[in-house]
Amino acid sequence: MIKEINVKGVITKSNLPDADYVINPYIGCAHGCIYCYAEFMKRFTNHKEEWGCFVDVKMNALKKLGNINKLRNKKILFSSVTDPYQSVEAKYELTRNILKKLICVQPEIGILTKSQLVTRDIDVFKKFEKIEVGISISTLKYYKQLEPLASQPEHRIKALKKISQAGIRTYVFISPILPSITDYKRIMKKTKFADYFMFENINVQPNNKNKILEFVKKTKPDALKYYEKEYDWKKLEKEITENYNNAKTYFHHDSFKKRQAQSIE
């Protein structure tokens, strides 16, 4: 369900480690990723629909940018709780038009997406002095079950390579890492052209925990042991950072077991 709305603002101060502000041109996301943590947004938007089944288009987003001079030399991420290049962007072009309006103040731009549509805006990307574009990948094999309406991982990789060949800095966000399912080494091999890599384990929330466990039970039941006990994330993080100079951990979230204990308490 797509709904056109007006909003009070479109720029939000960020608590993320690598952004001063975030811009989310849309509310909701149509990719339908079962592990998505962003369903908490429904608390603020009064949506009753299932997460992944609605997208609100912020029709007045350009007008609500406000005084963009404050964004000069600031780091801005597109986006934190939506995908700036999901399918509705092809029609509404909110991300593209916001970026075009920001060219004159030259903020430092970060793009993160699961969509091959991102290549459409290479011409705009080239007008920023500081910009990097990343794709998010969790799996090369189980994407139909985990993220049914996102671009196929191979298509994302081809899109990122095209952007890299255009002279734009690129990265791969391997997230969420699902134990025994995410083959991070294979993903890195296929995207070795990227400038760097970021890693993140599962952001377990009440809305996605059961969905993920159900997927594991149906798809790879022998891997359940990694989800039902305390998984050694620190060991994996050490393995990654010691073997790859261009890799870093983005966030370290609690495990399934710890989250379950917290909810019981």
Side-chain angles (χ1 to χ4, degrees):
M1 180 179 178
I2 299 172
K3 184 179 178 181
E4 298 178 351
I5 65 169
N6 288 321
V7 293
K8 294 180 179 179
V10 72
I11 300 175
T12 306
K13 285 188 176 181
S14 171
N15 292 319
L16 298 173
D18 58 352
D20 299 306
Y21 296 94
V22 294
I23 293 179
N24 292 290
Y26 305 97
I27 296 173
C29 180
H31 289 336
C33 305
I34 69 169
Y35 51 72
C36 185
Y37 63 87
E39 187 172 345
F40 74 88
M41 288 297 296
K42 289 172 63 174
R43 299 200 304 264
F44 310 110
T45 59
N46 296 317
H47 282 91
K48 304 301 181 184
E49 307 96 321
E50 185 176 348
W51 184 258
C53 295
F54 67 88
V55 179
D56 290 350
V57 183
K58 300 179 181 179
M59 297 300 292
N60 62 338
L62 280 176
K63 293 180 180 178
K64 291 299 179 177
L65 284 174
N67 179 12
I68 61 174
N69 286 318
K70 70 177 182 180
L71 303 177
R72 191 179 300 274
N73 299 320
K74 298 295 184 181
K75 295 181 179 180
I76 302 175
L77 173 66
F78 290 75
S79 299
S80 60
V81 289
T82 190
D83 192 311
Y85 286 97
Q86 60 181 299
S87 56
V88 294
E89 170 65 16
K91 174 182 178 180
Y92 290 98
E93 298 191 352
L94 290 186
T95 300
R96 179 178 176 85
N97 288 327
I98 292 171
L99 284 169
K100 287 168 69 175
K101 190 166 183 177
L102 294 177
I103 292 171
C104 63
V105 292
Q106 286 296 308
E108 186 174 339
I109 299 293
I111 304 285
L112 181 60
T113 182
K114 285 189 176 81
S115 174
Q116 65 195 73
L117 177 62
V118 67
T119 58
R120 180 201 63 187
D121 290 347
I122 289 176
D123 62 323
V124 179
F125 299 158
K126 287 183 174 181
K127 295 180 181 179
F128 287 92
E129 295 175 7
K130 293 183 179 180
I131 186 169
E132 59 182 22
V133 177
I135 56 168
S136 177
I137 299 180
S138 177
T139 176
L140 295 170
K141 185 176 181 181
Y142 300 103
Y143 59 89
K144 289 183 180 179
Q145 299 99 313
L146 287 169
E147 39 196 40
L149 297 179
S151 295
Q152 294 180 22
E154 293 291 345
H155 294 167
R156 291 176 228 170
I157 292 170
K158 288 180 181 178
L160 195 70
K161 190 169 186 177
K162 184 175 180 180
I163 293 169
S164 178
Q165 290 171 338
I168 296 163
R169 182 173 170 81
T170 59
Y171 68 98
V172 179
F173 191 37
I174 302 179
S175 171
I177 293 180
L178 297 162
S180 192
I181 290 172
T182 301
D183 188 346
Y184 79 85
K185 292 180 180 179
R186 187 168 171 232
I187 293 172
M188 291 182 76
K189 186 175 181 180
K190 281 182 166 288
T191 56
K192 58 185 177 182
F193 57 85
D195 291 286
Y196 72 98
F197 299 84
M198 287 197 293
F199 296 80
E200 182 182 42
N201 65 332
I202 314 165
N203 186 352
V204 183
Q205 298 293 329
N207 68 282
N208 65 11
K209 184 177 71 173
N210 290 334
K211 293 178 185 177
I212 295 170
L213 287 175
E214 192 63 30
F215 160 76
V216 177
K217 287 178 184 177
K218 289 181 179 179
T219 309
K220 203 167 184 180
D222 59 316
L224 268 176
K225 58 187 177 184
Y226 298 114
Y227 298 80
E228 294 175 340
K229 69 177 184 179
E230 190 70 31
Y231 189 72
D232 194 351
W233 287 113
K234 290 184 179 179
K235 181 180 178 181
L236 178 61
E237 290 167 358
K238 184 178 179 182
E239 173 186 315
I240 292 169
T241 54
E242 286 185 351
N243 287 284
Y244 301 95
N245 293 327
N246 59 342
K248 62 181 179 180
T249 302
Y250 190 65
F251 272 125
H252 183 98
H253 302 289
D254 289 337
S255 68
F256 273 88
K257 183 178 179 181
K258 189 172 289 185
R259 274 285 184 176
Q260 187 174 13
Q262 289 173 346
S263 63
I264 292 173
E265 292 171 359

